Amino acid sequence: MDIVSHGLWGALAFGRSSRPSFRLAFVIGLAPDLLSFGILWTAATLGLSPKPDFSHGTPPESTIPDYVHALYNVTHSLLVFLAVFLVVWLLRKQPLWELGAWGLHVLVDIPTHSYAFFPTPVFWPLSDWKFDGWQWMTPEILIPNWVLLSLLYAWFLSRAYRMKLKDDRSARVPS
């Protein structure tokens, strides 16, 4: 799935309690890709790493530096996510629900990544098993994803707007 969708899904699922929660869940939803491909693009922009050529579709994975594969394994493992979630819960003595956006990112990537380019290493480091899903950039995946996100955000924002109007009206009524 595209990185912006990951952030939007994560924020919608785990960040609705407040604006700071929404922002945190959005960033955490982006994090697995930022911490792998974002580092690659930054390194390539700075001339520290070769820039992959996406002009003719997905490049061969062999053209992507090894460090990106290693970071991708860490950031796209459901086991790593669960370990971090539990450690943070133990340290805070309460769950940080916004971290669920990371888990959602991994779960959504499982069926939307194929063997053709970076299948999701769900059980890394215990297993190299990966699911051969569908490429997220195909219209059959991309269009329904954006339509559903648009509909859900329209509903969510209209609901929030109606609640705010209701609260404003209640505040104006003298007691």
Side-chain angles (χ1 to χ4, degrees), residues 18-82:
S18 67
R19 284 186 182 187
S21 174
F22 182 91
R23 288 185 198 111
L24 181 59
F26 181 81
V27 171
I28 290 172
L30 302 174
D33 287 343
L34 286 177
L35 295 173
S36 52
F37 285 102
I39 291 174
L40 170 63
W41 291 115
T42 302
T45 301
L46 297 172
L48 303 172
S49 185
K51 188 173 189 175
D53 181 14
F54 281 88
S55 63
H56 304 299
T58 55
E61 281 192 37
S62 61
T63 64
I64 308 291
D66 288 341
Y67 71 88
V68 177
H69 290 273
L71 292 169
Y72 189 84
N73 285 343
V74 172
T75 62
H76 286 76
S77 168
L78 209 49
L79 298 179
V80 173
F81 156 71
L82 289 171

Side-chain angles (χ1 to χ4, degrees), residues 160-173:
Y161 179 73
R162 286 193 307 270
M163 297 284 280
K164 184 175 178 354
L165 282 178
K166 184 179 174 184
D167 290 346
D168 288 351
R169 286 185 193 132
S170 297
R172 283 188 254 144
V173 175

Side-chain angles (χ1 to χ4, degrees), residues 40-138:
L40 170 63
W41 291 115
T42 302
T45 301
L46 297 172
L48 303 172
S49 185
K51 188 173 189 175
D53 181 14
F54 281 88
S55 63
H56 304 299
T58 55
E61 281 192 37
S62 61
T63 64
I64 308 291
D66 288 341
Y67 71 88
V68 177
H69 290 273
L71 292 169
Y72 189 84
N73 285 343
V74 172
T75 62
H76 286 76
S77 168
L78 209 49
L79 298 179
V80 173
F81 156 71
L82 289 171
V84 171
F85 186 85
L86 291 173
V87 167
V88 170
W89 189 341
L90 290 171
L91 293 173
R92 295 181 74 235
K93 298 186 179 22
Q94 64 181 359
L96 180 61
W97 291 116
E98 291 85 354
L99 273 175
W102 176 8
L104 181 60
H105 180 123
V106 174
L107 289 173
V108 168
D109 272 359
I110 294 168
T112 61
H113 281 243
S114 72
Y115 287 153
F117 193 71
F118 280 84
T120 307
V122 188
F123 303 114
W124 184 91
L126 299 181
S127 170
D128 284 333
W129 180 85
K130 296 169 181 152
F131 178 74
D132 187 16
W134 302 270
Q135 294 232 347
W136 63 263
M137 62 196 83
T138 62

Side-chain angles (χ1 to χ4, degrees), residues 9 12 143-159:
W9 281 115
L12 191 61
I143 292 170
N145 171 59
W146 279 101
V147 167
L148 191 54
L149 273 172
S150 299
L151 291 172
L152 287 171
Y153 269 88
W155 172 78
F156 176 68
L157 293 171
S158 69
R159 187 170 161 255

